[in-house]
Amino acid sequence: MCTYQTFKLAVNGSAKGPETWIRVTEASVYYDHPTHATDEHTLNIDLRNPERGPSARIAVELSAQAAYDLAQAILHALESVPEGLLPEGLLIGTSRD
């Protein structure tokens, strides 16, 4: 069963497509049937730049465990950044509260 819940957010970054890097301005995150992965359901992340049309999209399909592990690794990486390197006012974890 699918949740039909999609979480969209504005992002500021770049992603590597098949031929070149593209600027990404939007992300969608949802748990659904994958297009290519072999799991029955995956956490899907679409990074897009809608201004450049449908080809300006990077898609990721991860198993639930891989998605969770990736989220934890992202948080740990950000929490380990030395003081002063992250943007002013960004609160990550309890060490910067």
Side-chain angles (χ1 to χ4, degrees):
M1 172 179 274
C2 302
T3 66
Y4 298 106
Q5 293 181 338
T6 299
F7 302 93
K8 289 188 177 186
L9 65 147
V11 297
N12 181 16
S14 296
K16 179 71 167 76
E19 297 179 14
T20 186
W21 283 88
I22 63 168
R23 182 171 173 264
V24 292
T25 59
E26 181 181 289
S28 297
V29 180
Y30 53 99
Y31 193 75
D32 202 343
H33 297 285
T35 300
H36 189 265
T38 57
D39 291 26
E40 188 171 331
H41 291 89
T42 55
L43 183 91
N44 305 310
I45 304 168
D46 293 332
L47 300 170
R48 307 180 329 118
N49 185 336
E51 293 178 5
R52 293 193 46 201
S55 65
R57 174 179 174 257
I58 306 298
V60 178
E61 299 173 337
L62 299 171
S63 70
Q65 186 64 57
Y68 180 84
D69 292 345
L70 177 61
Q72 292 299 309
I74 290 169
L75 292 174
H76 290 303
L78 289 171
E79 290 168 351
S80 70
V81 173
E83 192 80 30
L85 289 182
L86 291 174
E88 182 92 16
L90 181 64
L91 298 177
I92 296 180
T94 58
S95 63
R96 301 196 192 275
D97 290 343

